[in-house]
Amino acid sequence: MSNILEVKDLNISFDTYAGKVQAIRGVSFDLKKGETLAIVGESGSGKSVTSRSIMRLLSQNANIEKGQIVFDGKDLVQASEKEMQAIRGKRIAMIFQDPMTSLNPTMTIEKQISEPLKLHQKMNRAQSRKRTLQLLELVGLPEPEKRMKQYPHQFSGGQRQRIVIAIALACNPDILIADEPTTALDVTIQAQILELMKELQEKIDTSIIFITHDLGVVANVADRVAVMYAGKFVEMGTVDEVFYNPQHPYTWGLLASMPTLETATSLYAIPGTPPDLLDPPKGDAFAPRNEYAMKIDTELAPPMFKISKSHYAATWLLHEDAPAIDPPQEIKARQQLYMKKFAGRHNDGGEQ
Ligand SMILES: Nc1ncnc2c1ncn2[C@@H]1O[C@H](COP(=O)(O)OP(=O)(O)OP(=O)(O)O)[C@@H](O)[C@H]1O
Ligand SMILES: [Mg+2]
């Protein structure tokens, strides 16, 4: 499969009164055509900044210090605002956490979905109406013909997020970036939107970047997972590799802190807090929270070690001289649970 996006050694800082915040510190990844990549990490790890940089929607005080964002052969870091306007919403679309802020309360749904169609695709009224209906059906909004004449406040939160997804997909983008699209919704609606994302993944050929702080939702939605910590990708692999053979102690912590299926609450939290990105540590940023940290972790940031052709992790534990460490027992118990839950998916589908 060919790559639609290649991010290479991206470094982004923010100017603040307290100094320069080193928010993104050497992020590299690629996105293949049609795949869903999940980016997972705690609050402040840099998920939104990474995704907004692809859309070139960073705030005024942001600096792209270094790196490339190659989309369809073109480096978006060097693109002009005019070039970005032709890409945004048309070839790369983004949906956010809170559907209400993305919708215009004074416009009907039909008008909001047709706008990008008229603007980017030069569709006439009949064409855009047809496409609007098709999109609302695709995202599972009931009675689309009647409901497209209504306004955002006449819909529930989950329905609004479906509408936002329909708008994002209107021009058939190459990439859809979903930044925590379910966080503002209640749990049952979250599950429905995740189910929709999964269905869409099968029906359309758009590549998806799915951002979440909840590793629990990833297995069902994504093909690959990138785990982010303090402005870096610390582990990257297929869903199977990251769930069943996690290598980074931070990934172990995330796996252990997933809510259990029975209680829906988490029994474990990774101790400590992320580093201050005004003055990032010179070694492994996770070292102070890592019970397996070694001397080198405080001195030198680990490179990405290769585990397989799709699986990488940045931890000195993978160095050939490091002691062999088994993930904690807690992780193994969690893996068993998830193996059961996702048995259908991981056994080539079919039975539960
Ligand atoms: N406009 C800004 N000015 C200064 N610092 C910023 C700005 N935007 C983001 N940052 C910093 O960049 C880092 C990454 O932020 P980002 O919003 O990408 O985190 P996130 O992983 O999306 O977190 P969350 O899960 O809370 O959404 C944080 O340390 C944040 O404080
Ligand atoms: Mg965010």
Side-chain angles (χ1 to χ4, degrees), residues 14 16 21 23 41-49 59 61 180 213 277:
F14 289 96
T16 70
V21 176
E42 280 167 304
S43 187
S45 56
K47 307 180 296 294
S48 295
V49 173
S59 56
N61 62 333
E180 310 241 17
H213 58 265
L277 294 177

Side-chain angles (χ1 to χ4, degrees), residues 83-141:
E83 287 170 312
M84 284 313 300
Q85 279 169 8
I87 290 174
R88 259 184 233 130
K90 184 177 185 214
R91 303 204 56 198
I92 308 179
M94 191 157 176
I95 54 176
F96 301 94
Q97 195 168 324
D98 181 2
M100 213 42 194
T101 56
S102 325
L103 293 171
N104 183 334
T106 68
M107 267 161 70
T108 65
I109 298 315
E110 180 181 8
K111 195 145 199 290
Q112 299 191 51
I113 301 183
S114 355
E115 213 155 70
L117 296 171
K118 287 177 181 156
L119 176 75
H120 291 300
Q121 317 234 320
K122 313 274 176 273
M123 282 191 187
N124 64 30
R125 201 184 155 88
Q127 288 167 322
S128 73
R129 169 157 291 186
K130 189 165 159 234
R131 175 78 178 136
T132 300
L133 280 170
Q134 193 188 28
L135 285 160
L136 290 174
E137 262 158 41
L138 179 71
V139 300
L141 193 82

Side-chain angles (χ1 to χ4, degrees), residues 11-16 18-27 42-50 63 65 228-234 273-286 288-289:
N11 286 264
I12 298 173
S13 69
F14 289 96
D15 298 322
T16 70
K20 255 188 200 301
V21 176
Q22 311 286 337
I24 305 298
R25 306 184 299 136
V27 161
E42 280 167 304
S43 187
S45 56
K47 307 180 296 294
S48 295
V49 173
T50 302
N63 316 295
E65 304 269 3
M228 204 166 183
Y229 186 77
K232 292 186 177 190
F233 279 15
V234 297
T273 49
D276 182 359
L277 294 177
L278 275 169
D279 182 23
K282 68 174 168 30
D284 183 343
F286 189 61
R289 304 174 75 183

Side-chain angles (χ1 to χ4, degrees), residues 135-305:
L135 285 160
L136 290 174
E137 262 158 41
L138 179 71
V139 300
L141 193 82
E143 302 179 90
E145 201 126 8
K146 173 180 148 205
R147 304 221 63 188
M148 69 182 188
K149 301 197 174 64
Q150 299 179 333
Y151 293 85
H153 73 268
Q154 293 170 285
F155 295 86
S156 68
Q159 289 172 332
R160 279 183 213 134
Q161 197 58 302
R162 286 177 195 267
I163 294 163
V164 170
I165 295 170
I167 296 173
L169 293 176
C171 298
N172 229 333
D174 298 278
I175 302 175
L176 173 68
I177 303 174
D179 191 352
E180 310 241 17
T182 65
T183 315
L185 305 169
D186 74 47
V187 178
T188 41
I189 308 297
Q190 278 190 16
Q192 290 168 14
I193 297 292
L194 289 171
E195 190 53 38
L196 170 64
M197 296 294 294
K198 205 178 121 192
E199 276 172 38
L200 289 175
Q201 194 198 8
E202 283 155 20
K203 286 187 193 158
I204 59 178
D205 51 10
T206 299
S207 308
I208 301 174
I209 298 179
F210 186 91
I211 292 174
T212 175
H213 58 265
D214 181 359
L215 195 53
V217 309
V218 162
N220 224 357
V221 187
D223 301 303
R224 277 194 306 142
V225 187
V227 177
M228 204 166 183
Y229 186 77
K232 292 186 177 190
F233 279 15
V234 297
E235 181 154 7
M236 198 163 17
T238 64
V239 164
D240 285 356
E241 285 168 334
V242 172
F243 272 76
Y244 304 128
N245 187 26
Q247 296 292 322
H248 199 287
Y250 180 61
T251 314
W252 297 346
L254 283 182
L255 281 163
S257 55
M258 288 194 307
T260 58
L261 300 174
E262 294 77 25
T263 61
T265 51
S266 172
L267 301 172
Y268 173 83
I270 304 170
T273 49
D276 182 359
L277 294 177
L278 275 169
D279 182 23
K282 68 174 168 30
D284 183 343
F286 189 61
R289 304 174 75 183
N290 178 8
E291 60 178 299
Y292 310 103
M294 299 172 288
K295 187 162 174 285
I296 191 168
D297 283 294
T298 58
E299 294 162 354
L300 199 63
M304 273 286 195
F305 288 94

